[in-house]
């Protein structure tokens, strides 16, 4: 089983996200330290590690949800200029977060409005950027529900009535409706049954490919990284111990910790 | 606000335990500062140190404090509740200010300089010298979908109002039209989204460019907000579901008024009913001027309405 389709041509292309020497400390305790990597348009990067490895801290720093202690995170805006995410105003950052970015939480109820309909959940971002035509919003919501395999007759149901897998697919549709170029995902298949996980992975894989999305996926599950990512960062105790192309890293892990991870997963 | 109230003076003919209009001068100054800030930033909810009033919350303690802060000895006060001057709540508040401020009170809209209201805006257009004070239970229009106060404050600050349309979207998805009929959200002066308090949406257009100053007081929630005279107040909607006010199939049964807000009144226990003006003063003035509705001959005292 191979990873995603070939890496997009990177050539002279500028990275979409440029991360340099990023560190975060919770007081005396290390969150993550000296993390540097780039994400190119259309590229999927997996951040792999056990719980406590610093991967979620790193993700939250990248997505502007947590202010890092040190380092630089630059994002290539739609106008072609790279901006330091950390120096955006709150208004700019929130606008970016609901237009050009997505964030898929492990627990769908953290990313959905549980008391409004599926259609309104998908339509919210459109209304937030000024769409004022009900019919158009609803058509777009129907289209996106279809793309994440939610039946159109569920459009007026609240996510409370949905299964875990459906909720997660709804959360994905809610994020993708504004055609973001970068999506952050925190254990997107965590907490789901194995069969539901497989279906969700399949869906994510085709969405990412079809839409040319760049994504940063945090996971403790090497199988998720293998299926979805072009490149991997392996984290342990707050530092990246190894990074590289997913295929290379899984076939020929160099760091002892990566070797341990790979050997334990491949036996399953 | 015709004249400054006597400083720290008590009302001569009544119990000396009260300052003019009950509140002490320091408290009134604090409330006036909040009001001035509200006027300077139309539609913005200004926090204020709401005081205990000698009446329970839900009886309009926010409105009463605002009224107390703007009232002067020459003012003429009108109090309405659901459009009527004679409900228990309206009578009690009117009595409260007669007793504590010694001001004249009236039921006639045109005569009043300060009108405190719950649930309605008078039908007669208001004038520049008038102040309309609303009693507000829940001032935050975004609370319905976003209970976190820190988040709603950020949304106001950054003008992130998509959520308001989510609420209207839900209405249309469930009912086929925007079913919100009370507390219908508005945008004030092109900037802040505001809850007009539980007035019917029928009254929303009356807020738009009103000549009167409109003040809103929420006692329990400790918020004051304002619409200065001649300010744009626009009801939110969708392009394909534009804002519309309620319409009524027939005119007022007593005064034949059309284009006014009507209440349904049960006539007997056999299902007999009629529709009459919610604004009792408007109805009475029209009848005094000779207008007659279909049931005007019937002896329906206002007390039968409830
Ligand atoms: Zn009438």
């Amino acid at each position: 089983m191979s990873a995603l389709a070939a890496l997009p041509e990177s050539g002279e292309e500028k990275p979409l996200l440029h991360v340099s020497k990023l560190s975060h400390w919770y007081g005396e305790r290390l969150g993550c330290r000296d993390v540097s990597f780039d994400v190119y348009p259309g590229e999927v990067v997996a951040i792999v590690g056990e719980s406590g490895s610093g991967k979620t801290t790193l993700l939250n720093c990248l997505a502007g949800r947590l202010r890092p202690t040190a380092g630089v995170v630059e994002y290539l805006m739609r106008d072609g200029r790279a901006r330091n995410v950390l120096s955006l105003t709150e208004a700019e950052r929130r606008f970016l977060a609901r237009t050009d970015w997505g964030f898929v939480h492990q627990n769908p109820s953290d990313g959905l409005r549980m008391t409004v309909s599926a259609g309104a959940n998908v339509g919210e971002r459109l209304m937030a950027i000024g769409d004022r035509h009900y019919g158009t919003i609803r058509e777009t919501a129907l289209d996106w529900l279809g793309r994440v395999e939610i039946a159109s007759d569920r459009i007026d149901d609240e996510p409370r009535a949905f299964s875990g897998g459906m909720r997660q697919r709804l959360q994905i549709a809610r994020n993708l409706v504004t055609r973001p170029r970068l999506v952050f995902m925190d254990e997107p298949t965590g907490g789901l049954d194995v069969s539901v996980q497989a279906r969700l992975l399949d869906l994510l894989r085709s969405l990412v490919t079809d839409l040319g999305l760049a994504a940063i996926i945090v996971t403790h599950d090497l199988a998720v990284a293998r299926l979805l990512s072009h490149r991997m960062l392996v984290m342990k105790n707050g530092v990246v111990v190894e990074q590289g192309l997913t295929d290379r890293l899984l076939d020929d892990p160099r760091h002892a910790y990566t070797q341990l991870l790979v050997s334990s997963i491949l036996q399953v | 606000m015709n004249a400054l109230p006597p400083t720290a003076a008590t009302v001569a003919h009544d119990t000396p335990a009260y300052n003019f209009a009950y509140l002490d001068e320091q408290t009134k100054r604090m409330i006036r500062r909040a009001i001035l800030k509200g006027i300077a930033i139309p539609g913005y909810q200004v926090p204020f140190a709401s005081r205990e009033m000698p009446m329970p919350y839900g009886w309009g303690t926010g409105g009463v404090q605002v009224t107390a802060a703007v009232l002067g000895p020459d003012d003429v006060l009108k109090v309405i509740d659901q459009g009527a001057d004679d409900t228990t709540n309206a009578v009690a508040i009117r009595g409260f200010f007669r007793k504590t401020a010694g001001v004249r009170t009236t039921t006639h809209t045109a005569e009043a300089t300060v009108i405190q209201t719950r649930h309605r805006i008078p039908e007669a257009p208001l004038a520049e010298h008038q102040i309309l004070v609303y009693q507000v239970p829940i001032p935050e229009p975004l609370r319905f979908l976003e209970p976190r106060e820190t988040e709603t404050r950020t949304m106001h600050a950054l003008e992130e109002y998509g959520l308001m349309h989510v609420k209207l979207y839900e209405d249309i998805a469930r009912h086929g039209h925007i079913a919100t009929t009370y507390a219908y959200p508005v945008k004030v002066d092109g900037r802040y989204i505001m809850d007009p308090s539980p007035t019917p949406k029928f009254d929303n257009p009356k807020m738009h460019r009103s000549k009167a100053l409109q003040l809103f007081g929420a006692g329990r929630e400790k918020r004051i907000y304002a619409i200065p005279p001649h300010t744009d107040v626009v009801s939110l909607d969708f392009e394909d579901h534009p804002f519309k006010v309620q319409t009524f199939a027939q005119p007022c049964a007593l005064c034949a008024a059309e284009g006014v807000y009507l209440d349904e009144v049960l006539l007997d226990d056999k299902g007999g009913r009629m529709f009459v003006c919610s604004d009792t003063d408007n109805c009475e003035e029209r009848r005094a001027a000779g207008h007659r509705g279909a049931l005007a001959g019937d002896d329906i005292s206002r007390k039968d309405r409830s």
Side-chain angles (χ1 to χ4, degrees):
Chain A
M1 185 139 53
S2 80
L4 286 179
L7 262 176
E9 296 287 328
S10 50
E12 308 110 60
E13 207 173 14
K14 284 195 256 180
L16 190 61
L17 194 77
H18 169 69
V19 184
S20 175
K21 300 255 176 217
L22 192 82
S23 299
H24 187 75
W25 295 83
Y26 299 96
E28 295 286 294
R29 194 166 60 81
L30 175 66
C32 59
R33 191 178 49 159
D34 275 347
V35 178
S36 300
F37 67 102
D38 290 336
V39 181
Y40 284 87
E43 187 181 32
V44 180
V45 174
I47 303 172
V48 176
E50 296 167 289
S51 73
S53 63
K55 59 190 194 304
T56 298
T57 299
L58 175 60
L59 188 77
N60 285 330
C61 287
L62 299 177
R65 305 169 70 85
L66 185 64
R67 190 159 188 90
T69 315
V72 173
V73 180
E74 274 181 355
Y75 183 70
L76 191 67
M77 308 295 272
R78 287 201 191 197
D79 65 6
R81 287 188 308 147
R83 296 276 308 270
N84 187 348
V85 172
L86 307 175
S87 59
L88 295 177
T89 64
E90 190 183 14
E92 288 174 322
R93 187 182 58 70
R94 285 170 68 111
F95 182 76
L96 191 63
R98 63 169 188 265
T99 53
D100 213 21
W101 285 2
F103 197 104
V104 176
H105 298 262
Q106 173 174 1
N107 185 349
S109 64
D110 292 339
L112 292 172
R113 293 198 188 276
M114 298 302 282
T115 56
V116 306
S117 68
N121 264 287
V122 178
E124 181 174 346
R125 276 178 167 229
L126 298 174
M127 292 181 254
I129 57 174
D131 203 325
R132 291 291 175 265
H133 193 282
Y134 173 83
T136 310
I137 293 164
R138 198 168 171 83
E139 279 306 305
T140 311
L142 275 172
D143 177 48
W144 275 99
L145 290 179
R147 290 186 195 213
V148 298
E149 299 163 12
I150 293 175
S152 58
D153 63 1
R154 304 301 302 269
I155 188 170
D156 294 329
D157 293 346
E158 292 176 7
R160 285 189 291 203
F162 287 6
S163 68
M166 275 176 81
R167 287 180 186 185
Q168 198 54 299
R169 282 179 274 131
L170 180 63
Q171 190 190 185
I172 290 162
R174 170 175 163 87
N175 273 279
L176 297 187
V177 67
T178 50
R179 296 296 191 126
R181 293 182 302 155
L182 177 62
V183 179
F184 303 94
M185 301 188 201
D186 187 9
E187 304 277 8
T189 59
L192 298 174
D193 294 344
V194 175
S195 62
V196 179
Q197 275 191 25
R199 184 179 171 194
L200 187 68
L201 278 173
D202 219 35
L203 177 73
L204 274 174
R205 193 178 148 96
S206 56
L207 281 173
V208 159
T209 309
D210 292 352
L211 300 168
L213 275 178
I216 297 174
I217 302 174
V218 157
T219 179
H220 69 280
D221 186 347
L222 276 187
V224 171
R226 171 205 293 278
L227 267 172
L228 288 181
S229 73
H230 299 106
R231 267 189 320 121
M232 271 174 65
L233 277 65
V234 180
M235 287 189 79
K236 184 175 193 299
N237 297 334
V239 296
V240 175
V241 296
E242 186 167 1
Q243 62 172 303
L245 295 177
T246 302
D247 284 347
R248 197 281 294 159
L249 214 136
L250 292 175
D251 290 347
D252 180 22
R254 286 166 198 177
H255 192 278
Y257 179 69
T258 318
Q259 288 168 357
L260 188 70
L261 279 183
V262 171
S263 63
S264 57
I265 187 79
L266 292 186
Q267 285 160 7
V268 177
Chain B
M1 261 197 329
N2 285 343
L4 287 174
T7 306
T10 53
V11 178
H13 67 265
D14 216 307
T15 160
Y18 298 135
N19 189 41
F20 179 82
Y22 186 77
L23 294 173
D24 62 79
E25 292 306 307
Q26 199 186 341
T27 299
K28 284 192 274 185
R29 274 197 296 274
M30 175 273 292
I31 294 171
R32 288 180 201 132
R33 276 196 295 271
I35 291 171
L36 287 171
K37 188 169 178 184
I39 293 169
I41 317 170
Y44 172 75
Q45 297 166 47
V46 184
F48 81 111
S50 180
R51 293 298 150 92
E52 290 291 321
M53 296 301 285
M55 58 192 73
Y57 287 122
W59 273 61
T61 57
V64 166
Q65 290 177 80
V66 170
T67 297
V70 300
L71 212 55
D74 298 333
D75 272 313
V76 182
L77 178 69
K78 172 182 164 80
V79 182
I80 48 173
D81 178 15
Q82 308 275 7
D85 296 85
D86 57 2
T87 69
T88 315
N89 190 307
V91 170
I93 293 172
R94 211 159 50 227
F96 174 79
F97 282 112
R98 235 185 351 248
K99 185 173 168 203
T100 61
V103 294
R104 274 179 60 212
T105 58
T106 182
T107 59
H108 299 304
T109 300
E111 253 177 42
T113 56
V114 176
I115 302 170
Q116 182 171 329
T117 181
R118 186 172 80 150
H119 294 324
R120 282 305 316 280
I121 299 175
E123 301 291 357
L126 300 179
E128 256 121 7
H129 68 283
Q130 294 180 305
I131 300 176
L132 185 59
V133 178
Y134 298 74
Q135 303 170 199
V136 179
I138 297 171
E140 180 48 71
L142 297 163
R143 178 157 323 158
F144 176 76
L145 291 172
E146 179 52 74
R148 291 169 299 175
E149 166 97 21
T150 49
E151 182 65 10
T152 55
R153 245 186 256 171
T154 304
M155 288 170 159
H156 282 294
L158 302 180
E159 228 176 321
E160 289 181 6
Y161 288 136
L163 207 51
M164 235 35 262
H165 275 86
V166 169
K167 183 174 185 293
L168 300 180
Y169 172 99
E170 287 292 86
D171 257 15
I172 302 171
R174 284 190 192 149
H175 307 284
H177 62 276
I178 299 177
T180 300
T181 51
Y182 287 86
Y184 191 105
V186 293
K187 189 169 226 179
V188 180
D189 198 26
R191 176 57 180 87
Y192 283 96
I193 298 286
M194 192 195 88
D195 186 329
S197 87
T199 49
K201 67 176 180 176
F202 181 89
D203 286 339
N204 276 19
K206 295 182 186 140
M207 295 190 290
H208 179 57
R209 297 186 185 169
S210 169
K211 289 179 180 172
L213 170 63
Q214 301 174 77
L215 303 176
F216 300 76
R220 190 177 33 214
E221 304 271 339
K222 302 178 168 57
R223 291 289 185 279
I224 284 172
Y225 48 103
I227 305 174
H230 308 289
T231 301
D232 283 349
V233 178
V234 178
S235 302
L236 304 186
D237 61 3
F238 285 102
E239 290 159 18
D240 48 343
H241 288 268
F243 173 78
K244 279 196 291 257
V245 299
Q246 297 99 321
T247 54
F248 298 89
Q250 65 249 61
C252 171
L254 297 177
C255 76
E258 293 179 35
V260 297
Y261 194 78
L262 302 180
D263 285 336
E264 188 176 5
V265 179
L266 295 179
L267 294 174
D268 50 46
D269 51 12
K270 298 181 200 70
R273 61 193 61 208
M274 67 172 182
F275 286 88
V276 297
C277 288
S278 140
D279 183 336
T280 54
D281 174 59
N282 190 60
C283 199
E284 279 156 21
E285 288 192 1
R286 283 180 53 82
R287 277 179 282 151
H291 296 282
R292 283 283 174 272
L295 297 174
D298 297 12
D299 184 23
I300 308 290
S301 96
R302 306 301 303 184
K303 290 195 182 63
D304 293 336
R305 301 179 50 198
S306 60

